[in-house]
């Protein structure tokens, strides 16, 4: 099982020197991946307006100061970019990182940022379906001619191709959704599926039920359930945690996993036993110090 960490989003304004230290610390302690949320603005929920740094720029910077860890958006909203341009960004980031990108994709959900930045919020899944077809085709084949309701491509070519294309593949695709239609669109093609901790209560019992639903969706899509890797985000609290201030107010309604090494390692093993292959830790608080403090749990986990 791989274990990664999500960098700060809107908990506080983390400047680049802090983000760089977190990324390097994550690699030093033996984490397998670093993730960045793809959002633009949160407001209208009773809290002050807040926004993160732009995800793709941040991921490129993280790729340049690390050597080993996988990187990816958790997850990228296809609504924020022309899909051919998003494929271009992904191929470029895969090049910068030396083939370490995991391309997490979703349809988005936060209407406030769509309205503020001028992106259409209607027909999000239908728009995603067209965008997903374009992105996966360009990354796999290097070209796409597409004439849809929302997007129009005239013999688009993706040049130069990313570092993994010479082996007949692009970066692995991961979908972040539990919607029935979204799963039917993506599960025939993706290499991994991701769940946010609020979807299953941050618990093994909740995950087990959700996993069974995804297994059934894989079968319905013509895929063996074991062919799609299960990845999950888990909320972990360190001493002094104040409740991680994330974008959605629902995020505070689950019980975090304690961070003491024995408890955390046991929890990760329990999720692994239920089929989770890659876990993204959402730390409270999220600092370089809390990332460094994961080292004993990682050591126990890998004995």
């Amino acid at each position: 099982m791989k274990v990664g960490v999500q960098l700060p989003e809107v908990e506080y304004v983390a400047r680049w020197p802090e983000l760089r230290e977190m990324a390097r610390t994550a690699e030093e302690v033996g984490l397998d991946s670093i993730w960045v949320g793809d959002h633009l603005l949160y407001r209208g929920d009773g809290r002050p307006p807040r926004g993160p740094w732009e995800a793709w720029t941040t991921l490129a910077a993280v790729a340049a100061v690390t050597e080993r860890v996988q990187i990816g958006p958790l997850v990228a909203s296809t609504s924020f970019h022309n899909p051919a341009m998003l494929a271009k960004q992904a191929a470029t980031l895969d090049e910068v990182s030396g083939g370490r990108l995991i391309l997490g994709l979703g349809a988005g959900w936060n209407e406030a940022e769509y309205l503020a930045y001028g992106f259409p919020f209607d027909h999000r899944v239908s728009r995603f379906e067209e965008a997903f077809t374009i992105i996966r085709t360009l990354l796999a084949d290097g070209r796409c001619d597409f004439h849809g309701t929302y997007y129009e491509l005239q013999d688009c070519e993706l040049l130069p191709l990313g570092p993994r294309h010479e082996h007949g593949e692009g970066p692995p695709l991961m979908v972040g959704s539990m919607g029935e239609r979204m799963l039917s669109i993506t599960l025939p093609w993706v290499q991994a599926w991701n769940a946010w901790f609020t979807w299953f209560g941050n618990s093994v019992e909740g995950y087990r039920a959700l996993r069974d639903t995804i297994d059934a969706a894989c079968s319905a899509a013509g895929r063996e359930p074991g062919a799609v890797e299960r990845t999950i985000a888990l909320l972990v609290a360190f001493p002094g945690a104040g409740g991680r201030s994330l974008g959605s107010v629902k995020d505070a309604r689950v019980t975090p996993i304690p961070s003491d090494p024995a408890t955390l390692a046991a929890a990760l093993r329990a999720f692994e036993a239920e089929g989770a292959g890659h876990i993204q830790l959402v730390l409270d608080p999220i600092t370089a110090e809390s990332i460094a403090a994961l080292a004993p749990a990682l050591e126990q986990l890998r004995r």
Side-chain angles (χ1 to χ4, degrees), residues 71-158:
I71 59 172
L74 195 64
V75 291
S77 172
T78 59
S79 306
F80 295 162
H81 306 271
N82 171 284
M85 189 63 199
L86 198 153
K88 185 78 166 179
Q89 290 171 280
T92 304
L93 181 55
D94 207 35
E95 169 67 22
V96 172
S97 66
R100 292 185 281 137
L101 172 66
I102 299 173
L103 181 53
L105 297 171
W109 58 269
N110 181 23
E111 186 175 8
E113 61 192 347
Y114 280 75
L115 298 178
Y117 277 77
F119 296 117
F121 193 69
D122 64 310
H123 307 293
R124 281 179 300 120
V125 177
S126 295
R127 292 177 188 276
F128 173 88
E129 184 171 19
E130 290 192 7
F132 180 72
T133 300
I134 291 168
I135 293 164
R136 65 173 175 78
T137 302
L138 280 172
L139 289 174
D141 300 339
R143 67 189 311 150
C144 180
D145 192 75
F146 188 88
H147 307 281
T149 302
Y150 307 102
Y151 301 106
E152 186 85 11
L153 271 64
Q154 299 288 343
D155 192 22
C156 181
E157 291 186 83
L158 189 63

Side-chain angles (χ1 to χ4, degrees), residues 1 27 47 50 72 84 115 183 192-193 233 283-284:
M1 182 179 63
E27 193 158 71
R47 290 184 282 177
R50 56 217 179 275
L115 298 178
L183 294 173
W193 166 82
L283 306 182
D284 180 14

Side-chain angles (χ1 to χ4, degrees), residues 115-299:
L115 298 178
Y117 277 77
F119 296 117
F121 193 69
D122 64 310
H123 307 293
R124 281 179 300 120
V125 177
S126 295
R127 292 177 188 276
F128 173 88
E129 184 171 19
E130 290 192 7
F132 180 72
T133 300
I134 291 168
I135 293 164
R136 65 173 175 78
T137 302
L138 280 172
L139 289 174
D141 300 339
R143 67 189 311 150
C144 180
D145 192 75
F146 188 88
H147 307 281
T149 302
Y150 307 102
Y151 301 106
E152 186 85 11
L153 271 64
Q154 299 288 343
D155 192 22
C156 181
E157 291 186 83
L158 189 63
L159 297 170
L161 295 169
R164 284 182 277 197
H165 197 273
E166 62 187 46
H167 303 295
E169 59 185 18
L173 303 179
M174 179 180 80
V175 61
S177 178
M178 58 179 177
E180 182 178 353
R181 187 177 169 203
M182 286 286 290
L183 294 173
S184 69
I185 292 167
T186 56
L187 287 179
W189 304 100
V190 297
Q191 285 73 49
W193 166 82
N194 178 257
W196 190 245
F197 59 85
T198 54
W199 300 358
F200 55 92
N202 210 47
S203 70
V204 171
E205 295 75 20
Y207 169 67
R208 188 180 297 123
L210 182 55
R211 178 208 60 200
D212 292 345
T213 298
I214 302 304
D215 283 352
C218 285
S219 298
R223 295 286 298 278
E224 288 293 330
V228 180
E229 183 181 44
R230 307 310 157 86
T231 80
I232 55 175
L234 295 177
L235 181 63
V236 177
F238 284 82
R244 184 162 169 175
S245 178
L246 298 161
S248 172
V249 294
K250 298 178 182 178
D251 291 335
R253 300 177 186 173
V254 301
T255 301
I257 298 168
S259 61
D260 66 275
T263 301
L264 179 54
L268 295 179
R269 287 195 189 98
F271 281 101
E272 182 180 26
E274 296 296 336
H278 199 149
I279 290 177
Q280 303 99 352
L281 300 179
V282 182
L283 306 182
D284 180 14
I286 174 59
T287 63
E289 290 73 22
S290 61
I291 294 173
L294 292 171
L298 294 174
E299 183 179 352

